[in-house]
Amino acid sequence: MINIVYKLERIDGFKWVYNCSVRFKGYFFLNEKLYDKNNILDLFVNNNKKKIFHKILENGNGSFALIIENQNEVLFATDKVRSIPLFYNHNKNEFIISDYIEDDLNSVDKNSSEYYEFLMTGYTLNETTLLKAYKQVQAAEYITVNKKEGTYRKNIYYKHLHGNYLNIKKDEHYKNLRDITTSFINRLILSAKDRTIVVPLSGGYDSRYIVSALKEAEHENVICYTYGREDSFEVGIAKKVTEQLGYKSIIIEYTYEKWVSLYNDKSFRDYLMYGFNFCSSPHIQDFIAVKELTEGELIPKDSIIVPGFCGDLLGGSYIPIEFFEGKERSLLKRNISTYIYKCQFKNAKIKLSKSVKKEVDNKINLFMNILSLKNNLDDFVSKNESWFTSHKVAKFVVNALRLYEYFGYEWRMPLWDDGLIKYWYRIQNEQRINNQLFNDFLFDNLFKKQNIDFRKQTPVSHKGFLKIVRKLIPTKLSNGFKWVYHYVIYRNNKDVNNADILSNLQLASLVTKPKMKFNNPNGVMAYWLLSKKSN
């Protein structure tokens, strides 16, 4: 009989509730009924067998970590996007289940594939962490531990796949999406229980979707905050939105001095390890803002922070460009692992050894084999987005929630409500190109009615701009037009949060300068965090 050890010490934000057999953290809807710390234990006390457990997880809706122990086994799970992480360590005499990993950075093997994966993506692949002893529960997965035999098994209860496509007109989609929006906003309001909803409002559409839907529901206990350079388009649009909707708005300017102060702030260093867990790069973008909101008592202590994570992914932002450039055949000729590696391993430019590259490919292919999809265009899109959701979203984007918890706040992710994601997984890819249906729905059904139909900036990339130039202008002349990019486009697309200041401070602190090139602040953060020479 193996000894089961629980190390569940993260009680910031959501608290663990438990009895002799059930441990739960988060909130959960089943058949439109809300289960939280007040009644969740009753749901699982009599439903602790594997088949029932699987069915409840499959049909449930919410954000949670859940552990059930009965006489013969232990079952533990995370939700469909791993919003509250769980880890496990299996050795000969005991099986450890924890909600954090605490170890020495010197324990990281810098020759391992996980080390390079982390530098290039900001996370480790599949169930791995940077420590050989620890594994992580993946999105939509639960683990069963046989207490008598001391063995365990991984189980998948949901796959993020597109299919069973709807063949309906735009107006019908509008009606269905209006109903779904009303439902998920009502669930958000119900779960908030009269506490203040705080929305990090950007100049984009995802967070605006949330505040406009809250206004449509006539919910007034809302505060919005926006941060960045005072002259950024994010701040400008957010101001217009909140003024029109009548919600309280807090603007927090990000300056050079604030980033320098942050770099030397002990609480910031503590947070980095808090959000790291040896598998996910910590988010830093909101730190200054949430710290000022908290220390200045600008929002209530029991506020619920509600970010607009990844609505654009559902809408179609990550459909491969070949899909709508008439290059479908070339896309299908490409190996999915090669495509994912090229598109998503970009934080740092590293030439991997053959053995490490093979390990990375094997991990991607293992994930794809579980999906069991065909080799057609729609399934290629589904494979790519399933990987993106189960990895970058679940392990990097959603890791921003650790920041809110660090300051003691609960959070919600309404744009990852089951009703919404399952509907978008059935919308034909042709309707998702350039987020067309997603954006049209928002503007035609919410934004225009509320006079907040401000278009966000869509800056042209450096490569995209030069590609256009080469098409229109002869090669000999096109090189002379590169200045247009620097003076017209780059000037209007500067770092709106001044985050590069922190990257420069981190690089300057390293005794041994890195040999690799970093493509963004996330790559710098990952390298700095794992460097034994950084303080």
Short mmCIF file of all heavy atoms in Angstrom, two decimals, residues 218-268:
data_model
loop_
_atom_site.label_atom_id
_atom_site.label_comp_id
_atom_site.label_asym_id
_atom_site.label_seq_id
_atom_site.Cartn_x
_atom_site.Cartn_y
_atom_site.Cartn_z
N GLU A 218 -27.05 44.76 -17.30
CA GLU A 218 -27.35 45.81 -16.31
C GLU A 218 -26.65 45.57 -14.98
O GLU A 218 -27.20 45.86 -13.90
CB GLU A 218 -28.87 45.95 -16.12
CG GLU A 218 -29.60 46.33 -17.39
CD GLU A 218 -31.10 46.50 -17.20
OE1 GLU A 218 -31.61 46.12 -16.11
OE2 GLU A 218 -31.75 47.01 -18.11
N HIS A 219 -25.44 45.02 -15.07
CA HIS A 219 -24.66 44.80 -13.86
C HIS A 219 -23.72 45.99 -13.68
O HIS A 219 -22.89 46.28 -14.55
CB HIS A 219 -23.85 43.50 -13.98
CG HIS A 219 -23.18 43.09 -12.71
ND1 HIS A 219 -23.87 42.55 -11.65
CD2 HIS A 219 -21.88 43.16 -12.31
CE1 HIS A 219 -23.04 42.29 -10.66
NE2 HIS A 219 -21.82 42.66 -11.03
N GLU A 220 -23.83 46.66 -12.54
CA GLU A 220 -23.12 47.92 -12.35
C GLU A 220 -21.90 47.83 -11.43
O GLU A 220 -21.08 48.74 -11.40
CB GLU A 220 -24.08 48.98 -11.82
CG GLU A 220 -25.23 49.31 -12.77
CD GLU A 220 -24.73 49.84 -14.12
OE1 GLU A 220 -23.70 50.53 -14.15
OE2 GLU A 220 -25.39 49.54 -15.14
N ASN A 221 -21.77 46.75 -10.67
CA ASN A 221 -20.67 46.66 -9.71
C ASN A 221 -19.39 46.21 -10.42
O ASN A 221 -18.90 45.09 -10.23
CB ASN A 221 -21.03 45.69 -8.59
CG ASN A 221 -20.05 45.75 -7.42
OD1 ASN A 221 -19.20 46.64 -7.36
ND2 ASN A 221 -20.16 44.81 -6.50
N VAL A 222 -18.90 47.10 -11.27
CA VAL A 222 -17.76 46.80 -12.14
C VAL A 222 -16.75 47.94 -12.08
O VAL A 222 -17.11 49.12 -12.11
CB VAL A 222 -18.22 46.61 -13.61
CG1 VAL A 222 -17.02 46.39 -14.53
CG2 VAL A 222 -19.19 45.44 -13.72
N ILE A 223 -15.48 47.58 -11.98
CA ILE A 223 -14.38 48.55 -12.09
C ILE A 223 -13.44 48.06 -13.19
O ILE A 223 -13.14 46.86 -13.27
CB ILE A 223 -13.59 48.67 -10.76
CG1 ILE A 223 -14.49 49.22 -9.65
CG2 ILE A 223 -12.36 49.57 -10.94
CD1 ILE A 223 -13.82 49.26 -8.28
N CYS A 224 -12.99 48.97 -14.03
CA CYS A 224 -12.02 48.63 -15.09
C CYS A 224 -10.68 49.28 -14.78
O CYS A 224 -10.63 50.40 -14.27
CB CYS A 224 -12.52 49.11 -16.45
SG CYS A 224 -14.12 48.44 -16.95
N TYR A 225 -9.62 48.57 -15.09
CA TYR A 225 -8.30 49.20 -15.00
C TYR A 225 -7.53 48.95 -16.29
O TYR A 225 -7.66 47.91 -16.94
CB TYR A 225 -7.51 48.73 -13.77
CG TYR A 225 -6.92 47.33 -13.83
CD1 TYR A 225 -5.68 47.08 -14.42
CD2 TYR A 225 -7.61 46.25 -13.28
CE1 TYR A 225 -5.14 45.81 -14.46
CE2 TYR A 225 -7.06 44.97 -13.30
CZ TYR A 225 -5.83 44.76 -13.90
OH TYR A 225 -5.30 43.49 -13.94
N THR A 226 -6.74 49.94 -16.66
CA THR A 226 -5.92 49.88 -17.87
C THR A 226 -4.55 50.41 -17.52
O THR A 226 -4.40 51.30 -16.69
CB THR A 226 -6.53 50.75 -18.99
OG1 THR A 226 -7.89 50.34 -19.20
CG2 THR A 226 -5.76 50.59 -20.29
N TYR A 227 -3.53 49.86 -18.15
CA TYR A 227 -2.17 50.28 -17.83
C TYR A 227 -1.36 50.40 -19.12
O TYR A 227 -1.73 49.90 -20.18
CB TYR A 227 -1.50 49.27 -16.89
CG TYR A 227 -1.52 47.84 -17.41
CD1 TYR A 227 -0.58 47.38 -18.31
CD2 TYR A 227 -2.52 46.96 -16.99
CE1 TYR A 227 -0.62 46.08 -18.78
CE2 TYR A 227 -2.56 45.66 -17.45
CZ TYR A 227 -1.61 45.22 -18.35
OH TYR A 227 -1.67 43.94 -18.82
N GLY A 228 -0.23 51.09 -18.98
CA GLY A 228 0.67 51.26 -20.12
C GLY A 228 1.15 52.69 -20.25
O GLY A 228 1.00 53.50 -19.34
N ARG A 229 1.74 52.99 -21.39
CA ARG A 229 2.13 54.37 -21.67
C ARG A 229 0.89 55.23 -21.80
O ARG A 229 -0.12 54.81 -22.35
CB ARG A 229 2.94 54.44 -22.97
CG ARG A 229 4.34 53.88 -22.89
CD ARG A 229 5.22 54.48 -24.00
NE ARG A 229 4.48 54.92 -25.15
CZ ARG A 229 4.33 54.20 -26.28
NH1 ARG A 229 4.85 53.01 -26.38
NH2 ARG A 229 3.64 54.69 -27.29
N GLU A 230 0.99 56.45 -21.33
CA GLU A 230 -0.17 57.33 -21.34
C GLU A 230 -0.66 57.61 -22.77
O GLU A 230 -1.87 57.79 -22.99
CB GLU A 230 0.18 58.66 -20.64
CG GLU A 230 -1.02 59.52 -20.35
CD GLU A 230 -0.64 60.77 -19.56
OE1 GLU A 230 0.56 61.09 -19.48
OE2 GLU A 230 -1.55 61.40 -19.01
N ASP A 231 0.25 57.57 -23.76
CA ASP A 231 -0.12 57.89 -25.13
C ASP A 231 -0.45 56.65 -25.95
O ASP A 231 -0.61 56.73 -27.17
CB ASP A 231 1.00 58.68 -25.82
CG ASP A 231 2.30 57.87 -25.89
OD1 ASP A 231 2.44 56.87 -25.14
OD2 ASP A 231 3.17 58.23 -26.72
N SER A 232 -0.55 55.48 -25.32
CA SER A 232 -0.78 54.25 -26.08
C SER A 232 -2.24 54.14 -26.52
O SER A 232 -3.15 54.68 -25.90
CB SER A 232 -0.41 53.02 -25.24
OG SER A 232 -1.41 52.75 -24.28
N PHE A 233 -2.44 53.42 -27.62
CA PHE A 233 -3.81 53.21 -28.11
C PHE A 233 -4.63 52.39 -27.12
O PHE A 233 -5.85 52.54 -27.04
CB PHE A 233 -3.78 52.52 -29.48
CG PHE A 233 -3.43 51.06 -29.43
CD1 PHE A 233 -4.42 50.09 -29.35
CD2 PHE A 233 -2.11 50.64 -29.47
CE1 PHE A 233 -4.11 48.75 -29.31
CE2 PHE A 233 -1.78 49.30 -29.43
CZ PHE A 233 -2.79 48.34 -29.34
N GLU A 234 -3.98 51.51 -26.34
CA GLU A 234 -4.69 50.71 -25.34
C GLU A 234 -5.39 51.62 -24.34
O GLU A 234 -6.58 51.46 -24.04
CB GLU A 234 -3.70 49.79 -24.60
CG GLU A 234 -2.92 48.84 -25.46
CD GLU A 234 -3.68 47.55 -25.76
OE1 GLU A 234 -4.86 47.47 -25.39
OE2 GLU A 234 -3.08 46.66 -26.37
N VAL A 235 -4.64 52.57 -23.81
CA VAL A 235 -5.19 53.49 -22.81
C VAL A 235 -6.26 54.38 -23.44
O VAL A 235 -7.33 54.60 -22.86
CB VAL A 235 -4.07 54.35 -22.19
CG1 VAL A 235 -4.65 55.47 -21.32
CG2 VAL A 235 -3.12 53.48 -21.37
N GLY A 236 -6.00 54.86 -24.65
CA GLY A 236 -6.94 55.76 -25.31
C GLY A 236 -8.29 55.12 -25.56
O GLY A 236 -9.35 55.71 -25.25
N ILE A 237 -8.29 53.91 -26.09
CA ILE A 237 -9.55 53.23 -26.38
C ILE A 237 -10.26 52.82 -25.10
O ILE A 237 -11.48 52.96 -24.97
CB ILE A 237 -9.32 52.00 -27.30
CG1 ILE A 237 -8.88 52.47 -28.69
CG2 ILE A 237 -10.57 51.14 -27.39
CD1 ILE A 237 -8.61 51.35 -29.67
N ALA A 238 -9.49 52.31 -24.13
CA ALA A 238 -10.10 51.90 -22.86
C ALA A 238 -10.82 53.07 -22.19
O ALA A 238 -11.91 52.90 -21.62
CB ALA A 238 -9.04 51.31 -21.94
N LYS A 239 -10.22 54.26 -22.24
CA LYS A 239 -10.86 55.44 -21.66
C LYS A 239 -12.21 55.71 -22.33
O LYS A 239 -13.21 55.99 -21.66
CB LYS A 239 -9.95 56.67 -21.84
CG LYS A 239 -8.85 56.80 -20.82
CD LYS A 239 -8.07 58.08 -21.09
CE LYS A 239 -6.95 58.29 -20.07
NZ LYS A 239 -6.18 59.54 -20.37
N LYS A 240 -12.23 55.63 -23.65
CA LYS A 240 -13.47 55.88 -24.39
C LYS A 240 -14.55 54.87 -24.03
O LYS A 240 -15.73 55.22 -23.87
CB LYS A 240 -13.20 55.84 -25.90
CG LYS A 240 -12.32 56.96 -26.43
CD LYS A 240 -12.11 56.79 -27.92
CE LYS A 240 -11.21 57.85 -28.49
NZ LYS A 240 -10.98 57.67 -29.96
N VAL A 241 -14.14 53.60 -23.91
CA VAL A 241 -15.11 52.53 -23.60
C VAL A 241 -15.73 52.75 -22.24
O VAL A 241 -16.96 52.70 -22.08
CB VAL A 241 -14.43 51.14 -23.68
CG1 VAL A 241 -15.36 50.06 -23.12
CG2 VAL A 241 -14.04 50.80 -25.12
N THR A 242 -14.91 52.99 -21.22
CA THR A 242 -15.45 53.15 -19.86
C THR A 242 -16.28 54.41 -19.72
O THR A 242 -17.29 54.43 -19.01
CB THR A 242 -14.31 53.14 -18.82
OG1 THR A 242 -13.31 54.09 -19.20
CG2 THR A 242 -13.69 51.77 -18.71
N GLU A 243 -15.88 55.48 -20.40
CA GLU A 243 -16.67 56.72 -20.36
C GLU A 243 -18.06 56.49 -20.94
O GLU A 243 -19.06 56.97 -20.40
CB GLU A 243 -15.94 57.83 -21.12
CG GLU A 243 -14.74 58.40 -20.39
CD GLU A 243 -13.93 59.36 -21.26
OE1 GLU A 243 -14.38 59.64 -22.40
OE2 GLU A 243 -12.87 59.83 -20.80
N GLN A 244 -18.12 55.76 -22.04
CA GLN A 244 -19.40 55.53 -22.69
C GLN A 244 -20.29 54.59 -21.88
O GLN A 244 -21.49 54.79 -21.78
CB GLN A 244 -19.17 54.94 -24.09
CG GLN A 244 -20.42 54.78 -24.92
CD GLN A 244 -21.13 56.10 -25.17
OE1 GLN A 244 -20.51 57.13 -25.41
NE2 GLN A 244 -22.46 56.07 -25.10
N LEU A 245 -19.68 53.56 -21.27
CA LEU A 245 -20.46 52.60 -20.50
C LEU A 245 -20.80 53.10 -19.10
O LEU A 245 -21.71 52.57 -18.45
CB LEU A 245 -19.70 51.27 -20.39
CG LEU A 245 -19.45 50.51 -21.69
CD1 LEU A 245 -18.71 49.21 -21.40
CD2 LEU A 245 -20.76 50.21 -22.43
N GLY A 246 -20.06 54.09 -18.63
CA GLY A 246 -20.32 54.62 -17.29
C GLY A 246 -19.70 53.81 -16.17
O GLY A 246 -20.10 53.94 -15.01
N TYR A 247 -18.70 52.97 -16.50
CA TYR A 247 -18.01 52.21 -15.47
C TYR A 247 -16.82 53.00 -14.93
O TYR A 247 -16.20 53.78 -15.66
CB TYR A 247 -17.51 50.88 -16.03
CG TYR A 247 -18.58 49.83 -16.22
CD1 TYR A 247 -18.52 48.95 -17.29
CD2 TYR A 247 -19.63 49.70 -15.31
CE1 TYR A 247 -19.49 47.96 -17.47
CE2 TYR A 247 -20.60 48.72 -15.48
CZ TYR A 247 -20.53 47.86 -16.56
OH TYR A 247 -21.49 46.90 -16.72
N LYS A 248 -16.52 52.78 -13.68
CA LYS A 248 -15.34 53.41 -13.07
C LYS A 248 -14.08 52.91 -13.77
O LYS A 248 -13.92 51.71 -14.01
CB LYS A 248 -15.26 53.10 -11.57
CG LYS A 248 -14.07 53.74 -10.88
CD LYS A 248 -14.04 53.42 -9.39
CE LYS A 248 -12.82 54.03 -8.71
NZ LYS A 248 -12.78 53.73 -7.26
N SER A 249 -13.18 53.82 -14.06
CA SER A 249 -11.95 53.47 -14.78
C SER A 249 -10.73 53.95 -14.00
O SER A 249 -10.70 55.07 -13.50
CB SER A 249 -11.96 54.11 -16.17
OG SER A 249 -10.73 53.90 -16.82
N ILE A 250 -9.74 53.07 -13.90
CA ILE A 250 -8.48 53.42 -13.26
C ILE A 250 -7.36 53.23 -14.28
O ILE A 250 -7.19 52.15 -14.84
CB ILE A 250 -8.21 52.52 -12.03
CG1 ILE A 250 -9.35 52.67 -11.01
CG2 ILE A 250 -6.87 52.86 -11.39
CD1 ILE A 250 -9.28 51.67 -9.87
N ILE A 251 -6.61 54.30 -14.53
CA ILE A 251 -5.51 54.25 -15.49
C ILE A 251 -4.19 54.26 -14.72
O ILE A 251 -3.95 55.14 -13.89
CB ILE A 251 -5.53 55.46 -16.46
CG1 ILE A 251 -6.92 55.59 -17.12
CG2 ILE A 251 -4.43 55.32 -17.51
CD1 ILE A 251 -7.31 54.44 -17.99
N ILE A 252 -3.35 53.28 -14.99
CA ILE A 252 -2.06 53.19 -14.31
C ILE A 252 -0.96 53.29 -15.35
O ILE A 252 -0.80 52.43 -16.21
CB ILE A 252 -1.96 51.86 -13.52
CG1 ILE A 252 -3.05 51.83 -12.45
CG2 ILE A 252 -0.58 51.70 -12.90
CD1 ILE A 252 -3.19 50.51 -11.74
N GLU A 253 -0.22 54.39 -15.26
CA GLU A 253 0.84 54.63 -16.25
C GLU A 253 2.07 53.79 -15.93
O GLU A 253 2.47 53.66 -14.78
CB GLU A 253 1.22 56.11 -16.27
CG GLU A 253 2.20 56.46 -17.38
CD GLU A 253 2.54 57.93 -17.43
OE1 GLU A 253 2.06 58.68 -16.56
OE2 GLU A 253 3.29 58.32 -18.35
N TYR A 254 2.66 53.21 -16.95
CA TYR A 254 3.89 52.42 -16.82
C TYR A 254 5.07 53.26 -17.29
O TYR A 254 5.16 53.59 -18.47
CB TYR A 254 3.80 51.14 -17.65
CG TYR A 254 3.08 49.99 -16.96
CD1 TYR A 254 2.16 50.21 -15.93
CD2 TYR A 254 3.32 48.68 -17.33
CE1 TYR A 254 1.51 49.17 -15.30
CE2 TYR A 254 2.66 47.61 -16.71
CZ TYR A 254 1.76 47.86 -15.70
OH TYR A 254 1.11 46.82 -15.07
N THR A 255 5.96 53.60 -16.36
CA THR A 255 7.09 54.46 -16.68
C THR A 255 8.40 53.72 -16.49
O THR A 255 8.45 52.63 -15.91
CB THR A 255 7.10 55.69 -15.75
OG1 THR A 255 7.29 55.24 -14.39
CG2 THR A 255 5.79 56.46 -15.85
N TYR A 256 9.46 54.33 -16.95
CA TYR A 256 10.81 53.77 -16.77
C TYR A 256 11.11 53.58 -15.29
O TYR A 256 11.62 52.54 -14.86
CB TYR A 256 11.84 54.70 -17.41
CG TYR A 256 13.27 54.28 -17.17
CD1 TYR A 256 13.89 53.35 -18.00
CD2 TYR A 256 14.00 54.81 -16.10
CE1 TYR A 256 15.21 52.96 -17.77
CE2 TYR A 256 15.31 54.42 -15.86
CZ TYR A 256 15.91 53.50 -16.71
OH TYR A 256 17.20 53.09 -16.47
N GLU A 257 10.78 54.59 -14.51
CA GLU A 257 11.09 54.55 -13.08
C GLU A 257 10.35 53.40 -12.38
O GLU A 257 10.90 52.75 -11.48
CB GLU A 257 10.70 55.88 -12.42
CG GLU A 257 11.57 57.06 -12.82
CD GLU A 257 11.24 57.60 -14.21
OE1 GLU A 257 10.14 57.26 -14.74
OE2 GLU A 257 12.08 58.32 -14.78
N LYS A 258 9.12 53.14 -12.80
CA LYS A 258 8.35 52.05 -12.18
C LYS A 258 8.95 50.68 -12.49
O LYS A 258 8.96 49.80 -11.64
CB LYS A 258 6.89 52.11 -12.62
CG LYS A 258 6.10 53.23 -11.98
CD LYS A 258 4.64 53.19 -12.40
CE LYS A 258 3.85 54.32 -11.75
NZ LYS A 258 2.42 54.29 -12.13
N TRP A 259 9.44 50.51 -13.72
CA TRP A 259 10.05 49.22 -14.08
C TRP A 259 11.36 49.00 -13.32
O TRP A 259 11.65 47.89 -12.87
CB TRP A 259 10.28 49.13 -15.59
CG TRP A 259 9.06 48.79 -16.39
CD1 TRP A 259 8.40 49.58 -17.27
CD2 TRP A 259 8.35 47.54 -16.37
NE1 TRP A 259 7.32 48.92 -17.80
CE2 TRP A 259 7.27 47.67 -17.27
CE3 TRP A 259 8.52 46.34 -15.68
CZ2 TRP A 259 6.37 46.62 -17.51
CZ3 TRP A 259 7.62 45.30 -15.90
CH2 TRP A 259 6.57 45.45 -16.81
N VAL A 260 12.14 50.06 -13.17
CA VAL A 260 13.39 49.95 -12.41
C VAL A 260 13.08 49.60 -10.96
O VAL A 260 13.73 48.73 -10.35
CB VAL A 260 14.21 51.25 -12.50
CG1 VAL A 260 15.42 51.18 -11.57
CG2 VAL A 260 14.65 51.49 -13.94
N SER A 261 12.10 50.28 -10.38
CA SER A 261 11.71 50.00 -9.00
C SER A 261 11.20 48.57 -8.86
O SER A 261 11.51 47.88 -7.88
CB SER A 261 10.63 50.99 -8.57
OG SER A 261 10.17 50.70 -7.27
N LEU A 262 10.45 48.11 -9.86
CA LEU A 262 9.93 46.75 -9.82
C LEU A 262 11.05 45.73 -9.83
O LEU A 262 11.02 44.74 -9.08
CB LEU A 262 9.00 46.52 -11.02
CG LEU A 262 8.39 45.13 -11.13
CD1 LEU A 262 7.32 44.96 -10.07
CD2 LEU A 262 7.81 44.89 -12.51
N TYR A 263 12.04 45.96 -10.67
CA TYR A 263 13.15 45.01 -10.79
C TYR A 263 13.84 44.79 -9.44
O TYR A 263 14.30 43.69 -9.13
CB TYR A 263 14.15 45.52 -11.83
CG TYR A 263 15.36 44.63 -11.97
CD1 TYR A 263 15.26 43.41 -12.63
CD2 TYR A 263 16.59 45.00 -11.45
CE1 TYR A 263 16.37 42.58 -12.76
CE2 TYR A 263 17.69 44.18 -11.57
CZ TYR A 263 17.58 42.97 -12.23
OH TYR A 263 18.67 42.15 -12.34
N ASN A 264 13.90 45.84 -8.63
CA ASN A 264 14.57 45.76 -7.34
C ASN A 264 13.63 45.43 -6.18
O ASN A 264 14.04 45.42 -5.03
CB ASN A 264 15.29 47.08 -7.04
CG ASN A 264 16.40 47.36 -8.04
OD1 ASN A 264 17.29 46.55 -8.22
ND2 ASN A 264 16.33 48.50 -8.71
N ASP A 265 12.38 45.15 -6.51
CA ASP A 265 11.35 44.92 -5.49
C ASP A 265 11.37 43.46 -5.05
O ASP A 265 11.22 42.55 -5.87
CB ASP A 265 9.98 45.27 -6.09
CG ASP A 265 8.87 45.25 -5.06
OD1 ASP A 265 9.01 44.55 -4.04
OD2 ASP A 265 7.85 45.92 -5.29
N LYS A 266 11.55 43.21 -3.76
CA LYS A 266 11.60 41.84 -3.25
C LYS A 266 10.28 41.10 -3.50
O LYS A 266 10.28 39.90 -3.81
CB LYS A 266 11.90 41.82 -1.76
CG LYS A 266 12.06 40.40 -1.18
CD LYS A 266 12.34 40.42 0.31
CE LYS A 266 12.54 38.99 0.83
NZ LYS A 266 11.36 38.14 0.59
N SER A 267 9.17 41.80 -3.37
CA SER A 267 7.88 41.14 -3.59
C SER A 267 7.76 40.64 -5.03
O SER A 267 7.16 39.59 -5.29
CB SER A 267 6.72 42.08 -3.27
OG SER A 267 6.64 43.15 -4.20
N PHE A 268 8.36 41.38 -5.96
CA PHE A 268 8.34 40.96 -7.36
C PHE A 268 9.16 39.69 -7.54
O PHE A 268 8.74 38.75 -8.22
CB PHE A 268 8.89 42.08 -8.25
CG PHE A 268 8.94 41.72 -9.71
CD1 PHE A 268 7.78 41.42 -10.41
CD2 PHE A 268 10.16 41.69 -10.39
CE1 PHE A 268 7.82 41.10 -11.76
CE2 PHE A 268 10.21 41.37 -11.73
CZ PHE A 268 9.04 41.07 -12.42
#
